[in-house]
Amino acid sequence: GENVEQHPSTLSVQEGDSAVIKCTYSDSASNYFPWYKQELGKGPQLIIDIRSNVGEKKDQRIAVTLNKTAKHFSLHITETQPEDSAVYFCAAIINTNAGKSTFGDGTTLTVKP
Amino acid sequence: KAGVTQTPRYLIKTRGQQVTLSCSPISGHRSVSWYQQTPGQGLQFLFEYFSETQRNKGNFPGRFSGRQFSNSRSEMNVSTLELGDSALYLCASSRQGALSIQETQYFGPGTRLLVL
């Protein structure tokens, strides 16, 4: 089955700096890679996703890049704000396993004002 | 459009009891997946239901079971509760579960289960 590794487990940045979180996956059949933000007491919320026919996707301050050859993808947050502080999860989905996501272990991002 | 709802939000049980959690997906969504979230194991897939049938199953013991009704609402049941079952149980829905093609999976707020 799929295995997803996520780094770092904790990340602390100053407000206004950029934050980068990286994930690697094991199964080359994976072709959908969402990123979720989870705030305390809430369920994960999708913030951006990328499908394997695309190398990069951007949505305002958030961007995701995908390197299929190396089997890794990254989340980039620019101009970080204190409200970006949360736990971020990456996930990988194999086409044949509809409805089943394999998650990384999460990154706790702290943005210091 | 209402999001995914889960009831109850909090639950306290004792070892050996059983528990039933409920999930109502977004209207029009037919795929419902369940996940267990713990500090030590992260987010782990339990099972997925689509059109009242279990379509995918994770690596959990048979004490964990689920079902889906004709209106796509889903329940999961845990029998003979153990201390280690304490966790946040999340459900997520999507239209067909075709996440890799074009769909997005939306999560509910979760049910926090504490087993004493």
Side-chain angles (χ1 to χ4, degrees), chain A residues 21-79:
Chain A
I21 303 170
K22 298 181 179 182
C23 288
T24 60
Y25 60 99
S26 61
D27 196 323
S28 55
S30 290
N31 54 5
Y32 174 57
F33 308 92
W35 285 89
Y36 294 90
K37 175 183 180 182
Q38 187 174 24
E39 297 173 316
L40 205 59
K42 298 182 179 179
Q45 180 184 14
L46 180 76
I47 56 172
I48 196 167
D49 58 10
I50 191 166
R51 290 179 167 84
S52 61
N53 57 346
V54 175
E56 183 174 357
K57 185 176 178 180
K58 190 173 181 181
D59 182 5
Q60 299 182 9
R61 297 186 298 109
I62 296 172
V64 57
T65 59
L66 171 64
N67 183 328
K68 285 187 64 180
T69 303
K71 289 192 275 189
H72 67 70
F73 55 112
S74 300
L75 176 71
H76 304 253
I77 306 174
T78 58
E79 301 171 25

Side-chain angles (χ1 to χ4, degrees), chain A residues 31-32 36 38 41-44 46 49 51 89 93-95 97-101 103 105, chain B residues 9 33 35 37 43 45 48 55-56 88 90 97 99-105 107-109:
Chain A
N31 54 5
Y32 174 57
Y36 294 90
Q38 187 174 24
K42 298 182 179 179
L46 180 76
D49 58 10
R51 290 179 167 84
F89 291 94
I93 287 87
I94 298 173
N95 187 44
N97 280 323
K100 174 183 176 181
S101 300
F103 286 85
D105 288 339
Chain B
R9 293 293 311 278
S33 299
Y35 296 84
Q37 185 175 30
L43 270 157
F45 174 77
E48 181 215 4
R55 186 162 66 176
N56 273 292
L88 180 68
L90 294 158
L99 305 179
S100 59
I101 301 173
Q102 59 183 351
E103 296 184 6
T104 298
Q105 196 172 53
F107 281 82

